[in-house]
Amino acid sequence: MNGRRMIRLSKCRFATASARETFLEDYAKHHVSLSPLQRVLLTAGSAAISLANPFRGDMIACLGETTGTNALVHCHRQMKDTAEGQRILAQKPRVNTSTVELSYLGDLPPGTIGRTYRDFLDDNNVSPDDRTMVQFVDDTELAYVMQRYREVHDIFHAMLLMPTTMLGEVSVKWIEALQTRLPMCITGAIFGASRLRSRQRQLYLDYHLPWSINTGLNAKFLLGIYYEERWEQSLEDFHREMNITRLV
């Protein structure tokens, strides 16, 4: 093991020890309790705006929080079913530029999980810091599950080799909808498909939709994967382990 990797692992152990406390502090700082009426009004408003403008990430996030309780319970149960998922729930790691050493990921060999994720961020001009903190989920454990989903969404894209185009987004949303059962993923998959251009729609119907459904139903539960422990794993091995067939 080289010196740089030993230092990185040491930092990771320290970060892991404080990750849970950091999440709980952030959650307490941002959490907003809603009355039943406020929740209904916020759900209706965020749904209307999200359908009118699918690029309003803040409204989509809000809709996910106000409608996702049952789905989050399902996700939490799925994560608790595996040792890897249990570690995530216990340690509550975060994915942002203060917890993920992007320069290290960029130095990993091509074809590894970490390098693939770093290349995805660069190619699509996105940052792990773009994800907002959960506000409207009252249960702390479920709030973390939603936060984790939000922060690994781009990792899903990278692992599935899907760009941030509308076609790529809809394809990933179908997989997320089938695995997480989050209402916002279901509506995003259905209504996002209606916005595809004719050529994209044909690709979607012929290739992307069947692939997404097959992956969503047959792959392992992707939200329960501790990606931070797998940066050096090859994407080929990861796909084999997760039962994912590449579309591209």
Side-chain angles (χ1 to χ4, degrees):
M1 182 181 294
N2 61 45
R4 183 178 180 184
R5 186 180 177 193
M6 290 178 66
I7 293 173
R8 185 183 68 84
L9 290 176
S10 177
K11 289 180 178 178
C12 286
R13 283 192 289 269
F14 176 78
T16 296
S18 61
R20 179 182 176 85
E21 288 74 18
T22 299
F23 169 76
L24 293 176
E25 290 174 3
D26 288 345
Y27 172 76
K29 186 187 305 180
H30 291 89
H31 177 241
V32 177
S33 295
L34 299 173
S35 69
L37 178 59
Q38 288 174 321
R39 189 169 294 274
V40 168
L41 293 175
L42 195 57
T43 298
S46 59
I49 296 173
S50 298
L51 291 176
N53 183 359
F55 297 101
R56 282 292 301 272
D58 57 337
M59 290 294 99
I60 294 173
C62 178
L63 180 64
E65 294 179 33
T66 58
T67 63
T69 300
N70 291 337
L72 292 174
V73 170
H74 161 74
C75 292
H76 188 269
R77 187 181 302 119
Q78 291 287 102
M79 294 172 77
K80 286 187 69 175
D81 280 346
T82 66
E84 196 165 352
Q86 289 170 19
R87 287 199 305 277
I88 296 171
L89 293 173
Q91 298 171 3
K92 293 181 170 45
R94 303 291 301 281
V95 180
N96 53 54
T97 53
S98 67
T99 62
V100 177
E101 189 179 348
L102 295 183
S103 61
Y104 170 77
L105 301 187
D107 289 339
L108 289 173
T112 57
I113 287 177
R115 177 63 177 274
T116 302
Y117 174 50
R118 173 59 193 269
D119 289 346
F120 171 87
L121 295 176
D122 292 341
D123 293 344
N124 294 277
N125 194 30
V126 294
S127 167
D129 294 333
D130 292 340
R131 302 302 172 181
T132 58
M133 190 68 195
V134 170
Q135 291 181 283
F136 306 117
V137 179
D138 293 332
D139 183 274
T140 307
E141 289 298 305
L142 298 187
Y144 175 73
V145 173
M146 176 60 83
Q147 191 70 40
R148 180 68 177 178
Y149 160 74
R150 195 170 287 176
E151 294 180 359
V152 299
H153 173 74
D154 286 337
I155 298 180
F156 288 175
H157 269 275
M159 298 303 95
L160 296 166
L161 302 175
M162 285 291 113
T164 55
T165 60
M166 182 61 76
L167 181 58
E169 192 64 54
V170 170
S171 301
V172 173
K173 274 289 179 286
W174 269 116
I175 295 170
E176 293 176 339
L178 290 167
Q179 291 209 341
T180 70
R181 304 179 187 176
L182 282 165
M184 70 170 185
C185 294
I186 297 171
T187 56
I190 294 172
F191 290 100
S194 68
R195 293 176 174 271
L196 294 172
R197 296 188 298 272
S198 59
R199 182 177 180 277
Q200 288 182 318
R201 188 175 297 113
Q202 197 60 52
L203 289 172
Y204 168 73
L205 293 173
D206 290 346
Y207 302 105
H208 287 252
L209 181 58
W211 172 80
S212 295
I213 292 174
N214 178 68
T215 302
L217 293 176
N218 296 310
K220 290 186 179 179
F221 189 64
L222 298 178
L223 188 56
I225 303 303
Y226 210 145
Y227 297 96
E228 298 92 320
E229 296 181 345
R230 293 170 172 263
W231 294 137
E232 298 173 14
Q233 182 181 6
S234 75
L235 192 60
E236 182 178 353
D237 286 346
F238 177 80
H239 284 168
R240 187 181 304 112
E241 181 184 349
M242 296 297 119
N243 196 28
I244 294 172
T245 301
R246 295 190 187 193
L247 178 62
V248 294

XYZ file of all heavy atoms in Angstrom, residues 5 10 13 26 60 65 68 87 91 113 164 176 180 200 209 229 238 243:
153
model
N -2.098 6.416 -0.319
C -3.329 5.693 -0.025
C -3.499 5.512 1.479
O -4.599 5.584 2.014
C -3.303 4.331 -0.718
C -4.623 3.591 -0.558
C -4.611 2.242 -1.231
N -5.856 1.547 -1.006
C -6.035 0.258 -1.255
N -5.054 -0.464 -1.742
N -7.206 -0.308 -1.016
N -6.531 6.917 6.302
C -6.557 7.492 7.640
C -7.528 8.646 7.717
O -8.310 8.780 8.661
C -5.150 7.961 8.025
O -5.158 8.577 9.300
N -11.088 7.328 7.727
C -11.532 6.813 9.019
C -11.936 7.952 9.948
O -12.926 7.874 10.671
C -10.417 5.959 9.644
C -10.294 4.577 9.030
C -9.405 3.692 9.875
N -8.016 4.097 9.790
C -7.164 3.614 8.892
N -7.573 2.732 7.998
N -5.911 4.006 8.884
N -26.220 19.265 10.683
C -26.792 19.908 9.498
C -28.307 19.717 9.448
O -29.052 20.635 9.083
C -26.152 19.339 8.228
C -24.724 19.807 8.036
O -24.326 20.786 8.708
O -24.004 19.198 7.223
N -38.340 20.017 -7.173
C -38.325 18.560 -7.254
C -37.872 17.967 -5.921
O -38.432 16.983 -5.422
C -37.413 18.092 -8.404
C -38.014 18.530 -9.759
C -37.220 16.587 -8.369
C -37.112 18.270 -10.941
N -39.419 15.273 -0.684
C -39.456 15.230 0.776
C -40.873 15.173 1.328
O -41.131 14.513 2.339
C -38.728 16.455 1.341
C -37.240 16.452 1.047
C -36.549 17.688 1.592
O -36.972 18.190 2.646
O -35.588 18.164 0.950
N -42.490 11.450 0.117
C -41.700 10.224 0.037
C -41.606 9.363 1.274
O -40.811 8.423 1.293
N -23.805 -0.288 7.344
C -22.682 0.616 7.632
C -23.002 2.034 7.190
O -22.661 3.006 7.873
C -21.404 0.128 6.937
C -20.780 -1.086 7.568
C -19.319 -1.242 7.158
N -19.137 -1.274 5.713
C -19.297 -2.365 4.971
N -19.694 -3.503 5.529
N -19.094 -2.316 3.670
N -22.963 5.017 9.853
C -21.903 6.020 9.746
C -22.373 7.322 9.111
O -21.776 8.374 9.326
C -20.737 5.436 8.948
C -20.108 4.221 9.626
C -19.092 3.519 8.743
O -18.802 3.950 7.632
N -18.539 2.415 9.254
N -14.323 2.780 -10.454
C -15.517 3.504 -10.031
C -15.191 4.962 -9.738
O -15.890 5.880 -10.187
C -16.146 2.822 -8.800
C -16.826 1.520 -9.211
C -17.141 3.748 -8.098
C -17.416 0.738 -8.065
N -26.215 13.596 -18.399
C -27.263 14.403 -17.766
C -28.229 14.992 -18.790
O -28.893 15.986 -18.514
C -26.642 15.539 -16.930
O -25.772 16.324 -17.754
C -25.866 14.976 -15.761
N -34.379 4.399 -10.624
C -34.599 4.878 -9.264
C -36.046 4.664 -8.829
O -36.309 4.300 -7.672
C -34.244 6.358 -9.170
C -32.760 6.641 -9.352
C -32.434 8.117 -9.363
O -33.354 8.931 -9.623
O -31.278 8.480 -9.121
N -36.459 2.577 -5.587
C -36.747 3.352 -4.377
C -38.237 3.553 -4.123
O -38.638 3.804 -2.993
C -36.099 4.744 -4.439
O -36.763 5.555 -5.425
C -34.610 4.649 -4.773
N -35.027 11.153 -29.769
C -34.763 10.634 -28.432
C -35.860 9.674 -27.989
O -35.586 8.668 -27.350
C -34.663 11.792 -27.440
C -33.414 12.634 -27.552
C -33.388 13.720 -26.498
O -34.402 14.369 -26.230
N -32.232 13.940 -25.894
N -35.779 2.479 -22.341
C -36.838 2.056 -21.428
C -36.741 0.573 -21.073
O -36.785 0.226 -19.882
C -38.215 2.391 -22.006
C -39.412 2.016 -21.128
C -39.326 2.706 -19.764
C -40.728 2.365 -21.826
N -16.274 3.190 -0.387
C -15.393 2.062 -0.105
C -14.991 1.314 -1.374
O -14.185 0.368 -1.305
C -16.095 1.075 0.839
C -16.396 1.635 2.217
C -17.068 0.626 3.122
O -17.573 -0.415 2.627
O -17.093 0.878 4.341
N -17.894 -4.161 -10.883
C -19.051 -3.601 -10.197
C -20.332 -3.983 -10.926
O -21.317 -4.422 -10.312
C -18.927 -2.075 -10.119
C -20.112 -1.395 -9.499
C -20.271 -1.347 -8.121
C -21.082 -0.795 -10.292
C -21.372 -0.715 -7.543
C -22.178 -0.154 -9.734
C -22.324 -0.121 -8.351
N -25.243 -6.991 -11.099
C -26.134 -7.548 -12.125
C -26.664 -6.442 -13.047
O -27.863 -6.363 -13.343
C -27.325 -8.286 -11.478
C -28.032 -9.195 -12.462
O -27.441 -9.693 -13.403
N -29.333 -9.392 -12.256
